[in-house]
Amino acid sequence: MPTLAFGLQFPDLYRREGLQRVDEAFMLTLRGRDAELADRLAAARQTLALNAKDEAALLVAVAPHVDAFIGELFDIVEPLAALRAGHEALAPLIRVKWKFVKRQALLTHPDGAALADFDADGALAAIEQWLQQPFEELPFARAILQWQTEGLEDRLELASRYCAWAVLTEAGQLRHGGQVLFHHPAKTDPMALLRHAEQHAEAQVRITTIDTRHLRRREGFALTDHGTDLAGALDEANYCIWCHQQGKDSCSKGLREKPDAQGDAPFKRSSFGVKLTGCPLEERISEFHLVKSQGHPVAALALIAIDNPMVAATGHRICNDCMKACIYQK
Amino acid sequence: MTHIVTESCIRCRYTDCVDVCPVDCFREGPNMLVIDPDECIDCAVCIPECPVEAIFAEEDVAADQQKFVELNAELAKLWPSITRTKPPLADADEWKDIKDKLGQLER
């Protein structure tokens, strides 16, 4: 039978006494790595007196040590390091998406219609020549950071226009729609959720359909949403404002009205009258996004499991109460 | 509910807040910033960024600063968007500790 590190055995994972030994091993390794942090964690467990913000800060601080401990416990240090390296390798993609595409390209060229005459093919050819390879978004993102360092303004201006074209025009979305750099959130009109519906006539009958590009056929019991890859996951984790740090993580705790004279702040309601209570389990969504963005995937999973031990079964999609109550929805 | 830029910003306009705003809700005047209440999502990320502690949640605005709730809403309609941090006003450090600066506001 495969064994675990720290003198532990797999059966320990299925018994309370065994789990206590796992915890003792964790606290011992934490003390060896950061004694002050171990003291803070031990004190917090004993007093249970931390407020929500301090508790969140403590859990986030412990996260790298959870990753390291689990890696050692299961002898997966190297695969975890490779996964973390994967996070780091994608960092330029995330930085360029939010700092260049959103904060520069889309603000400088906000009007898709004005880009109708933009020579996108010519721009792409020039970009590929500069990249010295066919267009891929990660090398493109790395190149933009390099051009910024070198002050190559002419390249940056063309890249800026190309990015705006890719995000804002139909032709751009046809070419780049599935890519992280060029997929940006847009305001939703709750009264026109089916704006993309198409109408046509067949045998004098008016037929309204969803845009066929959005159709997802259900096959058996398989999910119609196949989830995302690492780049997509990091994209979402970095879209998050991590507003638990301000005590504003309404995804977890619910979106509330302004307090009245008595200090009462009832939950807001959506346009359809649904109370925006946030995650029914109050999962630490903002915290696990932050930890994931920092390259600690096991700790991010552990943060979810604190409030939802059944995440393996329920984690993909049960409700979307967190999304509806996200502070961006205000 | 929104967040409000108050008097301390006048003649300082450090703009550190601008870079962290996830929804680009700051508007730039000649010597002050304001927040567009229709755009602010109330996330409070900007509060700790301000070196002169000029930004408050609407419900936390002091009684003597209440006029800035209306001023933010009014001026946000007139002033252009600012989305990137820029150098503060040249004499910002000389004005950062001075109170009662409303008379210095340029529109």
Side-chain angles (χ1 to χ4, degrees):
Chain A
M1 173 183 283
T3 58
L4 301 171
F6 309 109
L8 297 162
Q9 304 291 328
F10 269 92
D12 287 331
L13 302 178
Y14 301 95
R15 290 197 301 265
R16 186 171 187 277
E17 298 74 22
L19 289 173
Q20 285 175 324
R21 282 196 288 277
V22 174
D23 185 56
E24 285 164 12
F26 171 68
M27 290 303 286
L28 199 61
T29 58
L30 180 60
R31 192 163 299 284
R33 292 164 182 270
D34 188 335
E36 187 269 335
L37 184 59
D39 286 342
R40 280 172 58 202
L41 180 59
R45 285 173 166 188
Q46 199 152 28
T47 62
L48 300 176
L50 288 186
N51 62 38
K53 274 194 212 176
D54 290 342
E55 183 178 294
L58 176 59
L59 291 170
V60 170
V62 169
H65 305 287
V66 172
D67 253 33
F69 175 77
I70 296 292
E72 202 173 340
L73 180 66
F74 289 98
D75 191 21
I76 53 170
V77 171
E78 286 185 17
L80 264 183
L83 182 53
R84 189 171 304 116
H87 286 61
E88 290 163 4
L90 290 166
L93 196 61
I94 304 302
R95 177 167 183 79
V96 167
K97 171 168 181 165
W98 298 111
K99 295 293 184 184
F100 181 77
V101 182
K102 177 176 183 287
R103 303 301 295 264
Q104 291 189 37
L106 296 178
L107 291 169
T108 310
H109 308 287
D111 183 5
L115 293 162
D117 297 331
F118 174 58
D119 180 9
D121 290 338
L124 181 62
I127 290 168
E128 290 183 332
Q129 192 174 6
W130 294 329
L131 297 178
Q132 297 183 323
Q133 67 168 83
F135 185 92
E136 290 178 41
E137 56 178 348
L138 183 54
F140 178 57
R142 283 199 216 101
I144 284 174
L145 295 177
Q146 184 66 29
W147 297 341
Q148 287 177 327
T149 303
E150 296 173 5
L152 300 178
E153 295 300 329
D154 54 338
R155 293 189 182 189
L156 290 169
E157 171 52 23
L158 189 71
S160 172
R161 286 170 64 85
Y162 188 79
C163 289
W165 173 84
V167 174
L168 298 174
T169 69
E170 191 173 349
Q173 281 294 289
L174 277 173
R175 183 180 290 175
H176 292 293
Q179 296 178 329
V180 166
L181 279 182
F182 308 115
H183 177 71
H184 283 255
K187 285 191 176 176
T188 302
D189 178 355
M191 296 304 161
L193 292 177
L194 291 178
R195 268 188 309 187
H196 50 301
E198 292 180 336
Q199 289 189 351
H200 65 280
E202 283 183 24
Q204 297 183 321
V205 175
R206 192 181 68 180
I207 297 176
T208 301
T209 63
I210 194 169
D211 184 331
T212 52
R213 287 172 296 176
H214 296 286
L215 276 179
R216 288 185 291 192
R217 301 284 183 193
R218 182 174 292 283
E219 294 175 10
F221 289 100
L223 292 167
T224 57
D225 179 346
H226 300 296
T228 185
D229 56 9
L230 181 56
L234 287 174
D235 186 25
E236 293 296 326
N238 283 276
Y239 175 47
C240 179
I241 307 171
W242 309 320
C243 41
H244 68 275
Q245 296 168 125
Q246 296 87 251
K248 296 281 189 174
D249 49 337
S250 52
C251 53
S252 176
K253 301 182 181 77
L255 196 59
R256 292 184 179 273
E257 299 283 0
K258 183 178 177 178
D260 61 20
Q262 286 72 45
D264 295 329
F267 287 115
K268 279 179 180 270
R269 289 179 180 271
S270 74
S271 302
F272 307 111
V274 177
K275 269 188 191 173
L276 301 174
T277 55
C279 176
L281 298 175
E282 298 192 5
E283 283 183 21
R284 295 153 210 262
I285 297 161
S286 178
E287 290 95 320
F288 76 66
H289 278 161
L290 175 60
V291 168
K292 174 72 176 171
S293 76
Q294 293 171 340
H296 307 299
V298 172
L301 181 60
L303 275 167
I304 299 172
I306 292 172
D307 304 295
N308 182 6
M310 299 293 286
V311 60
T314 66
H316 184 69
R317 186 164 293 168
I318 293 294
C319 67
N320 62 355
D321 291 0
C322 53
M323 296 159 72
K324 287 185 289 195
C326 169
I327 200 162
Y328 274 119
Q329 308 306 314
K330 184 187 169 220
Chain B
M1 199 153 63
T2 179
H3 279 59
I4 305 293
V5 184
T6 60
E7 192 166 35
S8 297
C9 185
I10 297 173
R11 295 207 66 162
C12 290
R13 208 187 63 187
Y14 284 97
T15 73
D16 300 63
C17 50
V18 170
D19 245 3
V20 299
C21 178
V23 291
D24 298 327
C25 68
F26 282 92
R27 305 290 179 259
E28 181 186 18
N31 65 358
M32 183 193 182
L33 302 179
V34 293
I35 288 172
D36 184 339
D38 294 333
E39 296 293 326
C40 175
I41 58 170
D42 208 30
C43 71
V45 174
C46 53
I47 291 178
E49 299 299 320
C50 179
V52 290
E53 299 179 359
I55 306 173
F56 294 88
E58 186 179 353
E59 69 268 28
D60 296 332
V61 174
D64 67 344
Q65 298 287 301
Q66 283 293 322
K67 59 180 78 71
F68 283 90
V69 176
E70 278 183 30
L71 267 177
N72 273 244
E74 175 195 341
L75 297 173
K77 290 183 168 56
L78 306 175
W79 290 349
S81 177
I82 174 171
T83 57
R84 288 178 220 170
T85 295
K86 58 198 283 188
L89 297 175
D91 54 354
D93 288 347
E94 294 165 29
W95 284 91
K96 67 184 169 64
D97 297 320
I98 294 175
K99 307 293 179 193
D100 300 323
K101 296 189 282 186
L102 183 54
Q104 299 289 326
L105 176 63
E106 295 175 30
R107 290 170 176 256

